[in-house]
């Protein structure tokens, strides 16, 4: 297979993994750590009911897909594997930035999420793929 085609596939597979896993991880985590009684997502005033443990679900829904998407992109790519891992993380980060504007959350969570969940995890996934290659 031509390197360009393989690199495009790497980017598409990594990004698709992020999209699919984001929803799956969030769904599973929301069942494991359900929101507190009286929490209504559409009403920012109820966000005070959330404890730190409730922010674990969205953080993991951003970090794990970035890690796996970065891993897959680096594993599949023919050239510049880490670049493709980070590109997948950057695409996922763009979604996270959009969500930060659309979904009310405390500033501390937005900073932690945007700084730690996307690019660093995609980088770690890429590093793991490079070690296994």
């Amino acid at each position: 297979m031509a390197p360009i085609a393989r690199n495009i596939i790497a980017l598409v597979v990594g990004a698709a993994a992020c999209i699919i896993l984001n929803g799956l991880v969030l769904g599973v985590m929301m069942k494991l750590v359900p929101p507190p009684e009286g929490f209504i997502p559409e009403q920012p005033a109820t966000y005070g009911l959330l404890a730190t443990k409730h922010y674990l679900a969205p953080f993991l829904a951003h970090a794990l897909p970035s890690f796996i998407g970065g891993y897959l992109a680096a594993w599949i790519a023919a050239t510049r594997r880490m670049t493709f891992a980070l590109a997948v993380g950057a695409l996922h980060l763009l979604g996270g930035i959009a969500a930060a504007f659309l979904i009310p959350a405390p500033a501390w969570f937005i900073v932690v999420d945007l700084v730690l969940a996307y690019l660093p995890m995609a980088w770690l996934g890429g590093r793991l793929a490079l070690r296994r290659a």
Side-chain angles (χ1 to χ4, degrees):
M1 179 180 297
I4 292 174
R6 193 164 162 184
N7 289 343
I8 291 169
I9 291 169
L11 188 63
V12 170
V13 168
C18 283
I19 293 167
I20 293 166
L21 290 172
N22 190 319
L24 288 174
V25 171
L26 189 58
V28 169
M29 289 300 297
M30 294 294 278
K31 288 186 190 319
L32 293 175
V33 183
E37 196 75 27
F39 174 73
I40 303 168
E42 295 80 25
Q43 294 181 0
T46 63
Y47 276 70
L49 298 172
L50 297 176
T52 304
K53 69 179 180 178
H54 295 108
Y55 291 101
L56 183 62
F59 181 80
L60 288 178
H62 301 152
L64 289 177
S66 291
F67 179 83
I68 294 169
Y71 177 89
L72 290 172
W75 182 62
I76 294 169
T79 60
R80 300 191 327 235
R81 295 171 177 228
M82 186 57 77
T83 301
F84 284 95
L86 291 173
V88 166
L91 288 172
H92 200 203
L93 174 62
L94 289 175
I97 292 169
F101 283 105
L102 298 172
I103 302 167
W108 70 264
F109 174 74
I110 293 171
V111 170
V112 167
D113 189 50
L114 294 179
V115 171
L116 298 178
Y118 298 97
L119 293 178
M121 295 306 287
W123 181 82
L124 286 173
R127 291 289 299 165
L128 182 63
L130 290 175
R131 282 189 172 188
R132 293 187 178 262

